[in-house]
């Protein structure tokens, strides 16, 4: 076991190697600038730039090697030290890329027909932005200084402005009859400088990630800082939605992670929709959804800060809890959900559009599982319908099928979007951007299949999953009966088919995916047969069970 003192010496070694690497990269950039200043005398400088390239590669490789050794030999190091080492690797890789761009710039110069052509552009402006940013890297990392990291990141946007102006000058020159050979060569040179900006941004974001204990992009950090001026905080990833929204828990560095807030950032339309949905839920049933603490919109993106909801998701309770805990959370959820459905019930017909939802996602299913896309087949003398024909008939049946009333829906009623606090015996809803009035069968089917599709095949866990599915289905059936919903089972078949089939796009296990797909196909065929007698349909026995399928 390595001593703490030795571990700290190793970290200092990372800083020293990065410092030397930064110095060498700056020298490469200074030589590249001199090459552009005097292209007619570039041969000797170009040779020197290319000769140093191997040395820089070796420094980068040394940091990667040291990082592996450090992580292997220091098993008890803190998360912060791990983040630091990872950042050093990211920084070294991007510094090496910057050096490569310097090499490529020196190589491009020889293609200039007019050696004075580069004097038409202010290439030195780029280097005056790039070099100071690189000189800040080691200091920013060592001090974990967010403000210095932001200065590094901002260099990228400054370079983008310079590049846009240069590109416009090159295009203008070409339109006025300028040399195509010289203009294209110049364009390639400035493209390398623009890509240096991308590398610098990666480096700045790596430093910010060390400070906050979580990988974070500059636009995400700016959104977070807009919502909170407190930089004495840490983050941990909570997840990322299928739509691409980033979700993080933010808490004080010294306060533990038992308290905090949820920071969500992504496409403005979806973040705004979630904010509106939460506000609607707070009016309907105060406390069911997290409070909105802050909201910020910036162009196409937006961010929201939400109250952190204490407790465990239904999914976590099923996977990790004992059966009494599973029963307790399920009883609390069905009681709350039944109350919501009853109190928000409006007696007006509503169409579920489950088959349309399925059709909209079918190409994504086939992209992951192309083997599912089947045409007609022949069994003996009988020709079976293609999957597309079955879908068409099911859609025809659904077009005349309506729920007799509508209720307020969660909208994405997965088992990991419902939280149960055992201490307060409280159910909460999260991830509410799809909430709205609709057929309760939508939420019910999504919850059932979100349990079924859990990729756990241990018998004990699977028994808990089957228990939850069966108990929940009985709850929904009872609600349908009490509210005289006579077409409930037919709509449930279509909704389950939708959820079974679309869930396969998130599941790579071929056997498990095929089982879900075939369940969906079977349900659709059966449902299509009852278009003229929807009240007579009954879900096939065992369709919700995993064992034996």
């Amino acid at each position: 076991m390595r001593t703490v003192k030795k571990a700290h010496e190793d970290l200092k070694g990372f800083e020293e190697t990065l410092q030397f690497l930064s110095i060498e990269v700056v020298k490469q950039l200074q030589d590249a600038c001199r090459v552009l200043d005097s292209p007619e005398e570039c041969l000797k400088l170009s040779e020197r730039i290319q000769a140093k390239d191997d040395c820089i590669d070796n420094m980068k490789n040394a940091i990667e090697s040291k990082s592996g050794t450090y992580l292997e030999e220091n098993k008890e190091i803190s998360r912060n030290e791990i983040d630091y080492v990872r950042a050093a690797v990211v920084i070294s890789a991007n510094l090496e890329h910057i050096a490569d761009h310097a090499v490529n710039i020196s190589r491009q110069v020889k293609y200039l027909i007019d050696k004075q052509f580069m004097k038409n552009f202010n290439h030195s402006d780029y280097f005056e932005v790039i070099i100071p940013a690189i000189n800040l890297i080691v200091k920013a990392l060592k001090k974990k200084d967010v403000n210095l990291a932001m200065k590094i990141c901002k260099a990228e946007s400054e370079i983008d402005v310079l590049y846009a102006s240069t590109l416009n000058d090159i295009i203008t020159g070409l339109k006025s009859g300028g040399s195509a050979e010289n203009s294209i060569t110049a364009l390639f040179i400035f493209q390398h400088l623009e890509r240096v900006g991308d590398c610098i941004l990666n480096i700045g974001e790596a430093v910010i990630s060390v400070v906050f204990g979580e990988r974070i992009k500059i636009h995400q950090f700016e959104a977070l800082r807009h919502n909170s001026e407190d930089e004495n905080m840490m983050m941990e990833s909570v997840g990322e939605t299928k739509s691409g929204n980033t979700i993080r828990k933010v808490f004080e560095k010294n306060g533990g992670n038992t308290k905090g807030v949820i920071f969500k950032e992504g496409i403005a339309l979806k973040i705004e929709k979630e904010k509106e949905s939460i506000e609607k839920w707070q009016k309907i049933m105060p406390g069911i959804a997290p409070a909105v603490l802050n909201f910020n919109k910036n162009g196409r993106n937006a961010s929201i800060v939400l109250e952190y909801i204490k407790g465990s998701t239904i999914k976590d309770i099923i996977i990790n809890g004992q059966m009494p805990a599973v029963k307790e959370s399920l009883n609390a959820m069905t009681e709350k959900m039944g109350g919501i459905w009853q109190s928000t019930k409006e007696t007006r017909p509503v169409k579920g559009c489950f088959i349309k939802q399925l059709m909209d996602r079918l190409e994504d299913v086939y992209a992951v599982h192309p083997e599912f896309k089947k045409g007609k087949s022949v069994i003996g003398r009988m020709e079976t319908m293609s999957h597309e024909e079955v879908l068409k008939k099911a859609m025809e049946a659904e077009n005349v099928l309506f729920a007799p009333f509508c209720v307020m829906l969660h909208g994405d009623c997965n088992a990991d979007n419902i939280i149960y606090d055992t201490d307060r015996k409280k159910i909460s809803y999260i991830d509410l951007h799809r909430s709205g009035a609709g057929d309760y069968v939508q939420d019910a089917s999504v919850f059932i299949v979100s349990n079924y599709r859990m990729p756990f095949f241990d018998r004990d866990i699977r028994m808990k999953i089957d228990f939850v599915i069966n108990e929940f289905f009985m709850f929904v059936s009872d609600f349908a009966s009490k509210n005289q919903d006579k077409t409930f089972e037919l709509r449930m078949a279509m909704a389950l088919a939708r959820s079974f089939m679309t869930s396969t796009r998130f599941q790579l296990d071929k056997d498990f995916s095929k089982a879900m797909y075939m369940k969906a196909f079977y349900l659709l065929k059966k449902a299509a047969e009852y278009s003229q007698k929807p009240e007579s349909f009954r879900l096939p026995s065992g369709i919700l069970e995993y064992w034996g399928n």
Side-chain angles (χ1 to χ4, degrees):
M1 179 66 67
R2 312 266 283 184
T3 64
V4 173
K5 181 179 178 181
K6 178 59 179 171
H8 288 165
E9 289 175 356
D10 289 342
L11 285 178
K12 187 177 180 182
F14 278 113
E15 291 172 3
E16 289 178 350
T17 307
L18 273 177
Q19 184 71 67
F20 284 121
L21 179 56
S22 299
I23 290 169
E24 290 302 321
V25 170
V26 166
K27 287 161 67 176
Q28 290 285 77
L29 289 166
Q30 288 170 337
D31 282 346
C33 186
R34 293 187 188 104
V35 167
L36 296 179
D37 287 338
S38 305
E40 67 280 359
E41 301 174 5
C42 72
L43 183 59
K44 187 174 180 180
L45 277 174
S46 295
E47 289 175 351
R48 186 164 77 183
I49 291 171
Q50 293 174 45
K52 285 183 181 178
D53 192 46
D54 287 342
C55 173
I56 289 171
D57 288 347
N58 289 338
M59 286 185 181
K60 186 265 293 184
N61 292 337
I63 290 174
E64 289 180 348
S65 178
K66 285 180 181 179
S67 69
T69 302
Y70 182 84
L71 294 174
E72 178 66 27
E73 294 182 350
N74 297 280
K75 301 294 186 182
E76 304 299 323
I77 60 176
S78 67
R79 171 182 162 179
N80 189 257
E81 288 174 308
I82 293 172
D83 292 338
Y84 185 96
V85 172
R86 287 175 175 166
V89 173
V90 171
I91 292 168
S92 65
N94 279 279
L95 284 172
E96 189 265 340
H97 291 330
I98 292 171
D100 286 342
H101 289 304
V103 171
N104 289 327
I105 288 169
S106 70
R107 287 173 176 166
Q108 283 293 327
V109 169
K110 67 182 180 182
Y111 296 109
L112 288 170
I113 296 172
D114 179 2
K115 300 301 181 184
Q116 301 301 312
F117 188 77
M118 291 303 295
K119 295 187 183 299
N120 294 319
F121 310 99
N122 294 322
H123 57 266
S124 60
D125 290 350
Y126 289 79
F127 293 95
E128 288 172 6
V129 173
I130 293 167
I131 291 174
I134 293 175
N135 285 333
L136 292 175
I137 292 170
V138 175
K139 183 178 180 182
L141 181 63
K142 184 176 181 178
K143 293 189 173 183
K144 300 183 179 65
D145 191 318
V146 172
N147 291 323
L148 289 179
M150 285 294 291
K151 285 183 180 180
I152 294 169
C153 291
K154 291 297 183 184
E156 188 263 351
S157 58
E158 292 179 42
I159 291 168
D160 281 349
V161 171
L162 291 172
Y163 181 71
S165 176
T166 302
L167 181 61
N168 183 64
D169 290 344
I170 290 172
I171 292 171
T172 301
L174 282 168
K175 287 180 177 179
S176 61
S179 166
E181 292 88 346
N182 288 322
S183 296
I184 291 171
T185 300
L187 178 60
F188 288 156
I189 289 170
F190 286 109
Q191 280 180 338
H192 284 296
L193 289 171
E194 190 270 337
R195 289 168 188 163
V196 167
D198 297 335
C199 295
I200 289 173
L201 178 61
N202 292 338
I203 290 169
E205 289 177 343
V207 176
I208 293 173
S209 298
V210 173
V211 177
F212 292 103
E214 180 70 29
R215 186 177 179 186
I216 185 169
K217 294 290 186 182
I218 183 65
H219 69 275
Q220 295 168 341
F221 171 68
E222 287 177 327
L224 179 60
R225 194 155 76 165
H226 180 90
N227 288 300
S228 174
E229 294 298 324
D230 182 11
E231 293 181 358
N232 184 38
M233 54 188 173
M234 292 288 288
M235 288 185 291
E236 63 180 32
S237 178
V238 176
E240 185 171 294
T241 67
K242 298 294 188 299
S243 58
N245 291 340
T246 300
I247 310 172
R248 290 185 170 91
K249 182 179 177 184
V250 183
F251 51 92
E252 291 184 11
K253 288 182 180 179
N254 301 318
N257 67 351
T258 57
K259 297 181 179 179
V261 296
I262 294 295
F263 171 74
K264 206 169 188 178
E265 189 269 349
I267 299 169
L269 187 64
K270 292 180 179 176
I271 298 292
E272 283 181 301
K273 182 65 173 67
E274 177 153 19
K275 177 177 176 287
E276 291 168 4
S277 295
I278 289 173
E279 290 168 348
K280 187 180 295 184
W281 274 110
Q282 296 293 12
K283 292 178 182 177
I284 294 170
M285 189 158 289
I288 187 70
V292 176
L293 304 177
N294 212 327
F295 173 80
N296 176 52
K297 184 177 179 182
N298 184 16
R300 294 181 59 192
N301 279 11
S303 60
I304 191 169
V305 177
L306 303 172
E307 170 194 10
Y308 173 69
I309 301 295
K310 184 177 176 291
S312 301
T313 65
I314 299 295
K315 178 179 178 179
D316 286 340
I317 294 170
I318 293 170
I319 296 168
N320 302 310
Q322 299 300 314
M323 187 59 83
V326 173
K327 290 180 179 179
E328 179 184 327
S329 62
L330 182 62
N331 288 338
M333 187 195 81
T334 53
E335 182 180 348
K336 177 63 72 174
M337 192 174 287
I340 291 171
W341 289 352
Q342 203 64 55
S343 65
T344 61
K345 177 183 169 185
E346 294 182 39
T347 308
R348 59 182 175 89
V350 63
K351 188 187 292 187
C353 297
F354 306 119
I355 307 303
K356 182 182 184 305
Q357 293 173 32
L358 169 54
M359 297 288 280
D360 289 344
R361 295 167 174 81
L362 202 54
E363 285 305 312
D364 292 335
V365 171
Y366 291 153
V368 180
H369 300 285
E371 68 276 10
F372 290 166
K373 192 171 186 177
K374 293 182 179 179
K376 295 180 179 180
S377 58
V378 177
I379 301 175
R381 296 181 179 181
M382 183 176 68
E383 186 177 71
T384 66
M385 288 189 294
S386 69
H387 290 194
E388 280 72 18
E389 287 174 324
V390 172
L391 283 167
K392 183 179 178 181
K393 286 189 172 293
M395 182 170 279
E396 289 172 357
E398 187 184 51
N399 282 338
V400 294
L401 191 62
F402 290 82
F405 54 84
C406 66
V407 302
M408 184 65 174
L409 301 179
H410 180 294
D412 191 11
C413 196
N414 287 296
D416 52 2
N417 284 336
I418 300 174
I419 293 176
Y420 180 59
D421 181 351
T422 55
D423 294 334
R424 296 189 295 163
K425 311 298 182 189
K426 183 176 184 293
I427 287 288
S428 300
Y429 284 0
I430 60 172
D431 203 6
L432 293 163
H433 71 276
R434 292 195 182 118
S435 286
D439 185 350
Y440 67 97
V441 166
Q442 169 92 20
D443 271 2
S445 61
V446 168
F447 181 78
I448 288 170
V449 177
S450 74
N451 283 278
Y452 182 94
R453 73 186 183 200
M454 291 184 198
F456 295 97
F457 308 106
D458 172 85
R459 192 169 191 86
D460 290 339
I461 295 178
R462 207 72 219 179
M463 284 177 65
K464 288 185 286 184
I465 292 172
D466 287 343
F467 170 82
V468 169
I469 290 173
N470 290 328
E471 289 292 311
F472 183 75
F473 182 74
M474 285 193 289
F475 151 72
V476 180
S477 298
D478 185 58
F479 179 83
S481 177
K482 288 178 178 177
N483 287 275
Q484 299 181 345
D485 183 358
K486 297 179 180 179
T487 63
F488 150 70
E489 291 201 47
L490 182 57
R491 301 197 321 278
M492 177 61 83
M494 293 180 175
L496 287 171
R498 172 261 187 204
S499 291
F500 274 131
M501 195 172 288
T502 59
S503 290
T504 63
R505 71 195 197 274
F506 306 126
Q507 178 57 251
L508 295 178
D509 184 292
K510 294 295 183 183
D511 292 336
F512 195 35
S513 297
K514 185 177 180 181
M516 286 194 287
Y517 188 86
M518 295 312 295
K519 279 178 183 286
F521 189 59
Y522 176 65
L523 284 169
L524 289 173
K525 284 182 67 178
K526 297 295 289 184
E529 295 170 4
Y530 282 78
S531 59
Q532 302 303 315
K533 42 185 177 178
E535 296 179 8
S536 303
F537 181 86
R538 294 294 176 267
L539 275 174
S541 176
I543 196 68
L544 300 178
E545 295 176 6
Y546 172 73
W547 299 114
N549 289 293

